[in-house]
Amino acid sequence: MSNEELKRYYDMFTDCWRFFKKYSDVKDTDEYWESVVNESGAISKKHGECKIIINLVLAALTELERISKEMPQNAT
């Protein structure tokens, strides 16, 4: 794999990390989730909606959703 290809992977992982970090303080509001969805779509488009970026974004979204479901105010 070339250095250029590795840089593309690095950029994708870094963008997903920054996305996850930005939204890691999960809020149970429509505004929060709308922002999460919009930014996740923008990241995917930025990287050409290739399989790896879709998988990375989906993993971050899945984890944010898991955190949301485990928040005390959402417990039944």
Side-chain angles (χ1 to χ4, degrees):
M1 185 175 294
S2 71
N3 283 339
E4 184 177 314
E5 290 170 316
L6 285 172
K7 173 76 168 90
R8 285 185 57 231
Y9 280 100
Y10 175 82
D11 290 342
M12 286 187 272
F13 277 93
T14 302
D15 283 348
C16 284
W17 162 245
R18 288 180 181 144
F19 166 76
F20 179 79
K21 183 179 177 187
K22 178 177 179 179
Y23 293 103
S24 63
D25 185 19
V26 177
K27 308 283 188 228
D28 190 23
T29 66
D30 290 341
E31 294 82 14
Y32 168 87
W33 289 108
E34 184 177 325
S35 185
V36 166
V37 168
N38 290 339
E39 191 162 336
S40 66
I43 291 169
S44 296
K45 286 180 185 174
K46 175 183 175 183
H47 294 285
E49 298 178 333
C50 63
K51 284 187 179 187
I52 183 73
I53 196 64
I54 298 297
N55 289 333
L56 290 170
V57 168
L58 183 57
L61 290 170
T62 300
E63 183 61 9
L64 292 173
E65 184 178 24
R66 184 196 65 76
I67 292 166
S68 173
K69 288 179 179 178
E70 292 182 1
M71 290 170 53
Q73 64 268 27
N74 291 334
T76 49

